[in-house]
């Protein structure tokens, strides 16, 4: 086993023990199952985002969950904290479906590492690849779990080769499977020279560990049938010759991923993976910000909003901003500077979410995720500090690729609809444009499924049936620049002008030609497909 010298020796122990990570995977690879096992071993202490409200509210929430279930997608990201050995894990959940990638991308700005789950029979699938690319942009350390080894799976070398080739990352085996499919009996732990045997009879039983003194230990014969043992020895010898050895520094830099083989549903390989997260995790990392980077060992508190969720409890029309702490030791009641508005904010009721109810967070450390209820002041990308004017950078915004008009089925309810839409816009769930001429709103999203989710949320959370219809526009551009030039531009393009939820001016069109023409005719204006998130 490699001993890691911590890469940030100045970190106080409370911070150094934190591991904040996300799971990336293709739908169906086993993320949910693995999460459940993490919680089982970890003894979940807090869960954010999965509020199970009572009575009426519960029905609403679970209906929504039903939709997630029916479609096999999970729509809302959430954060869960649990202790494992000496570590505090913060698992930030990411929605799995590609239509929710905006949310997912932003979530990945709030973690220090990612666990990539792949299905042993399928290898690297499209969604995994996409998410991996996002992790790569940030050089996030990635730990790999090859799941479903209890089923017929592909050859171990094939799986490793595919990851290396498709994702251009070095792969080093942390464990090696013994037998495939029905014959799969467990793994040889290459980091600790241990035999881990799976119990097929009891899915929740932790695997039996047998200390082994290397692959020539005669004890192996007592546990592994001769033909499987011969194969194991041969494969491990080959693996050690052909595959790179584990280099913790390279893992930290995102150039190498250790891979564990297991079966989440059988609780197998999960503990080894958790040990791996603890060892190679890493601890909270510096946060890119302007005008300077924020270091986790700084004593002053800072944090940033990476997600806003409205109506988590439909009884209260509030929003919760999910904040990742980037530095300092946060205590409830602190006054922090909301850098964008330059206004102080007393954070008197920050929440962590217990499995069933909201609970006040008395304190939090770097790496932790806290929820701050608010009435819309906190937006995605906002930074909170103890006074310094810092802005966390690198939180992506995406160009809306699909536009549709939305109308309330009951025209008398237009005002309600506006309110609902504004809330979703602030959550970052969609872009909302109010055309300066005509009625109705235009909604812009990245993936088509988002329209359906929005329609169902507006109906459930606001009791407002709505219709989405094709819009005459297909592209949106934010317009910025000199005020006079903007006024002139707006006056002569009224049919194409709309305002977003912040009141900023947006140009809508269906022709790229229009955009080119404006760029030519109004060189003093800037047209952008995305809006900075701050
Ligand atoms: P997610 O879509 O990635 O969250 O995947 P789930 O955790 O919901 O798992 C998808 C399906 O695979 C479910 O039917 C699980 O029961 C099943 N599954 C998960 N882990 C394993 C495993 O280790 N072995 C087998 N055979 N099935 C598994």
């Amino acid at each position: 086993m490699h001993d890691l010298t911590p890469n940030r020796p100045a970190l106080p122990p409370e911070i150094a023990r934190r591991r904040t990570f996300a799971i990336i995977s293709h739908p169906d690879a086993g993320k949910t199952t693995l999460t459940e096992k993490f919680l089982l071993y970890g003894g979940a202490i807090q869960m954010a985002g999965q509020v199970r409200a009572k009575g009426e509210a519960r029905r609403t929430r679970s209906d929504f969950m039903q939709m997630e279930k029916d479609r096999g997608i999970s729509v809302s990201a959430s954060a869960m904290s649990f202790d494992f050995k000496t570590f505090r894990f913060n698992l930030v959940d990411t929605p799995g479906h590609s239509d929710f990638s905006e949310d997912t991308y932003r979530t990945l700005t709030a973690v220090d590492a990612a666990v990539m789950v792949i299905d042993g029979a399928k290898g690297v699938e499209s969604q995994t690849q996409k998410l991996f690319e996002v992790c790569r942009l940030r050089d996030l350390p990635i730990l790999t779990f090859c799941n479903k080894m209890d089923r017929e799976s592909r050859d171990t070398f094939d799986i490793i080769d595919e990851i290396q080739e498709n994702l251009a990352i070095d792969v080093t085996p942390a464990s090696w499977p013994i037998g495939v499919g029905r014959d799969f009996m467990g793994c040889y732990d290459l980091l600790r020279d241990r035999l881990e045997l799976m119990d097929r009879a009891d899915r929740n039983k932790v695997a039996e560990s047998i200390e082994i003194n290397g692959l020539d230990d005669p004890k192996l014969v007592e546990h592994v049938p001769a033909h499987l043992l011969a194969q194991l020895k041969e494969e491990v010898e080959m693996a050690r010759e052909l595959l790179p050895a584990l280099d913790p520094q390279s893992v930290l830099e995102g150039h190498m991923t250790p891979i564990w083989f297991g079966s989440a549903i059988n609780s197998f390989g999960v503990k080894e993976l958790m040990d791996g997260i603890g060892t190679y995790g890493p601890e909270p990392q510096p946060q890119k910000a302007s005008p300077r980077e924020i270091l986790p060992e700084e004593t002053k508190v800072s944090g940033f909003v990476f997600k806003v969720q409205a109506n988590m409890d439909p009884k209260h029309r509030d929003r919760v901003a999910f904040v990742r702490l980037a530095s300092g030791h946060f205590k409830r009641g602190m006054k922090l500077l909301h850098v964008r508005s330059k206004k102080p904010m007393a954070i008197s009721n920050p929440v962590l979410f217990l499995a069933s109810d909201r609970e006040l967070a008395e304190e939090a450390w770097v790496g932790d995720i806290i929820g701050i209820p608010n009435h819309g002041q906190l937006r995605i990308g906002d930074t909170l500090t103890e006074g310094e004017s810092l802005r966390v950078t690198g939180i992506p915004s995406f160009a809306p690729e699909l536009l549709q008009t939305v109308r309330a089925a009951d025209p008398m309810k237009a005002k309600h609809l506006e309110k609902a839409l504004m809330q979703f816009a602030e959550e970052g769930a969609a872009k909302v444009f109010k055309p300066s001429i005509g009625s109705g709103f235009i909604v812009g999203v990245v993936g088509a499924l988002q329209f359906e989710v929005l329609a169902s949320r507006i109906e459930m959370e606001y009791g407002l049936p709505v219709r989405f219809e094709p819009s005459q526009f297909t592209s949106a551009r934010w317009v910025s620049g000199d005020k006079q030039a903007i006024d002139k531009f707006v006056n002569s393009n009224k049919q194409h002008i709309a305002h977003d939820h912040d009141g900023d001016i947006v140009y809508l069109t269906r022709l790229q030609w229009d955009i080119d023409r404006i760029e030519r005719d109004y060189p003093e204006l800037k047209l952008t497909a995305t809006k900075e998130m701050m």
Side-chain angles (χ1 to χ4, degrees):
M1 186 89 183
H2 297 260
D3 276 329
L4 260 193
T5 39
N7 68 333
R8 310 204 66 80
L11 281 183
E14 258 311 321
I15 300 176
R17 79 185 189 95
R18 275 162 163 79
R19 297 290 180 274
T20 304
F21 64 102
I23 301 179
I24 59 170
S25 63
H26 194 84
D28 237 30
K31 187 174 77 169
T32 312
T33 312
L34 185 64
T35 304
E36 280 166 11
K37 301 295 168 158
F38 279 169
L39 297 180
L40 186 70
Y41 292 146
I45 47 172
Q46 300 129 12
M47 260 190 244
Q50 299 200 320
V51 181
R52 261 172 266 138
K54 298 180 182 80
E56 183 67 18
R58 170 185 308 198
R59 213 172 318 128
T60 317
R61 184 74 199 162
S62 59
D63 283 349
F64 186 47
M65 292 301 186
Q66 191 57 41
M67 175 174 157
E68 298 189 357
K69 228 167 135 189
D70 291 347
R71 294 174 164 277
I73 52 171
S74 93
V75 180
S76 55
S78 52
M80 290 156 246
S81 303
F82 48 95
D83 284 330
F84 176 73
K85 296 190 174 167
T86 56
F87 301 105
R88 162 68 53 88
F89 285 173
N90 295 313
L91 170 55
V92 188
D93 193 19
T94 53
H97 195 280
S98 58
D99 276 6
F100 299 95
S101 47
E102 278 195 74
D103 222 8
T104 309
Y105 291 153
R106 291 192 203 117
T107 296
L108 290 172
T109 62
V111 299
D112 300 301
V115 169
M116 174 166 78
V117 179
I118 60 173
D119 180 327
K122 296 185 177 154
V124 177
E125 294 174 86
S126 59
Q127 185 71 357
T128 322
Q129 173 123 20
K130 267 169 90 175
L131 291 165
F132 178 89
E133 301 301 339
V134 182
C135 296
R136 153 118 340 135
L137 289 175
R138 302 190 50 234
D139 292 326
L140 271 186
I142 294 176
L143 310 179
T144 304
F145 186 71
C146 184
N147 191 29
K148 305 197 186 182
M149 294 304 291
D150 58 316
R151 287 217 204 132
E152 277 315 311
S153 51
R154 295 184 12 204
D155 174 71
T156 313
F157 284 103
D158 275 357
I159 296 171
I160 291 178
D161 278 352
E162 187 183 88
I163 301 173
Q164 297 199 136
E165 276 175 29
N166 286 14
L167 305 181
I169 188 168
D170 288 335
V171 181
T172 182
S175 68
W176 199 268
I178 308 170
V180 264
R182 260 172 214 255
D183 287 339
F184 176 74
M185 56 178 299
C187 282
Y188 188 76
D189 182 337
L190 291 166
L191 302 179
R192 281 180 271 213
D193 278 318
R194 269 194 334 214
L195 200 57
E196 304 285 348
L197 297 180
M198 187 172 88
D199 189 333
R200 279 186 192 256
D202 183 350
R203 289 187 154 178
N204 289 324
K205 198 169 153 205
V206 179
E208 190 186 353
S209 298
I210 298 153
E211 299 286 339
I212 297 289
N213 201 359
L215 278 167
D216 294 322
D217 192 325
K219 252 199 296 188
L220 273 168
V221 194
E222 296 165 26
H223 302 283
V224 184
H227 70 289
L228 290 182
L229 183 57
Q231 191 188 352
L232 172 71
K233 284 185 181 174
E234 190 185 326
E235 287 182 352
V236 168
E237 196 175 318
M238 253 171 81
R240 284 190 164 141
E241 207 165 292
L242 298 173
L243 299 171
L246 196 139
D247 171 2
Q249 189 56 34
S250 185
V251 174
L252 256 177
E253 289 164 5
H255 302 314
M256 171 181 278
T257 180
I259 183 169
W260 283 264
F261 294 85
S263 167
I265 208 159
N266 288 293
S267 312
F268 182 78
V270 178
K271 278 210 146 164
E272 291 68 35
L273 175 65
M274 291 175 91
D275 276 328
I277 298 168
T279 312
Y280 309 103
E283 54 272 79
Q285 296 294 297
Q287 178 66 48
K288 287 207 173 59
S290 158
R292 64 170 190 87
E293 197 174 55
I294 303 171
L295 301 179
E297 53 267 36
E298 288 174 27
T299 50
K300 291 235 164 93
V301 170
S302 68
F304 63 98
V305 179
F306 64 95
K307 179 185 170 67
V308 172
Q309 199 167 337
N311 300 337
M312 288 182 60
D313 180 348
K315 273 188 300 194
H316 305 110
R317 287 261 176 265
D318 59 355
R319 280 151 243 214
V320 175
F322 288 84
V323 171
R324 145 119 193 186
L325 287 187
S327 64
H329 179 199
F330 171 85
K331 295 193 192 78
R332 184 160 80 88
M334 272 185 124
K335 243 198 199 102
L336 295 178
L337 174 72
H338 180 235
V339 174
R340 183 169 50 83
S341 69
K342 303 194 179 65
K343 289 200 180 116
M345 257 184 109
I347 316 291
S348 49
N349 52 355
V351 279
L352 300 166
F353 293 89
L354 284 163
S356 54
D357 272 304
R358 291 183 176 197
E359 170 134 316
L360 287 180
E362 291 301 331
E363 60 160 10
W365 295 86
V366 183
D368 287 346
I369 312 286
I370 55 172
I372 303 182
N374 66 100
H375 300 293
Q377 305 94 308
L378 288 175
R379 306 227 175 124
I380 294 164
D382 281 356
T383 308
L384 296 169
T385 69
E386 280 193 53
E388 194 176 342
S389 185
L390 290 171
R391 279 160 181 252
V392 164
T393 54
I395 299 188
S397 176
F398 292 82
E401 289 176 10
L402 301 165
L403 301 184
Q404 287 200 352
T405 301
V406 57
R407 288 180 209 286
D410 175 356
M412 302 298 283
K413 296 271 171 68
K415 266 277 160 260
H416 279 78
L417 176 62
E418 175 163 8
K419 205 170 149 212
L421 291 173
M422 291 305 146
Q423 203 149 79
F424 292 125
E426 278 161 21
E427 239 184 81
K431 305 284 186 296
V432 174
F433 309 117
K434 190 170 174 28
S436 60
I437 293 178
S439 63
F441 292 88
I442 291 173
V443 172
V445 298
V446 178
L449 199 59
Q450 273 173 286
F451 288 127
E452 270 179 67
V453 171
L454 278 177
S456 110
R457 285 190 62 186
I458 295 170
E459 177 152 9
M460 266 181 293
E461 294 170 25
Y462 291 84
L464 201 63
V466 295
R467 279 195 317 271
F468 278 94
E469 295 161 359
S471 158
Q472 54 170 319
F473 303 117
T474 52
S475 306
R477 292 288 183 277
W478 275 267
V479 184
S480 57
D482 173 67
K483 177 151 187 340
Q484 257 183 330
I486 292 183
D487 286 348
K488 182 170 154 238
F489 169 73
V490 166
N491 277 328
S492 41
N493 289 280
K494 279 230 152 64
Q495 280 85 350
H496 292 266
I497 300 296
H499 291 86
D500 74 0
H501 69 286
D502 290 322
D504 289 333
I505 291 166
V506 180
Y507 177 78
L508 301 172
T509 181
R510 58 180 315 126
L511 301 171
Q512 179 61 37
W513 185 84
D514 271 346
I515 296 170
D516 296 342
R517 177 181 56 85
I518 289 161
E519 283 176 338
R520 203 175 52 234
D521 293 354
Y522 295 87
E524 64 280 35
L525 293 183
K526 205 169 122 198
L527 265 57
T528 51
T530 60
K531 188 164 119 157
E532 274 280 293
M533 303 243 43
M534 44 186 198

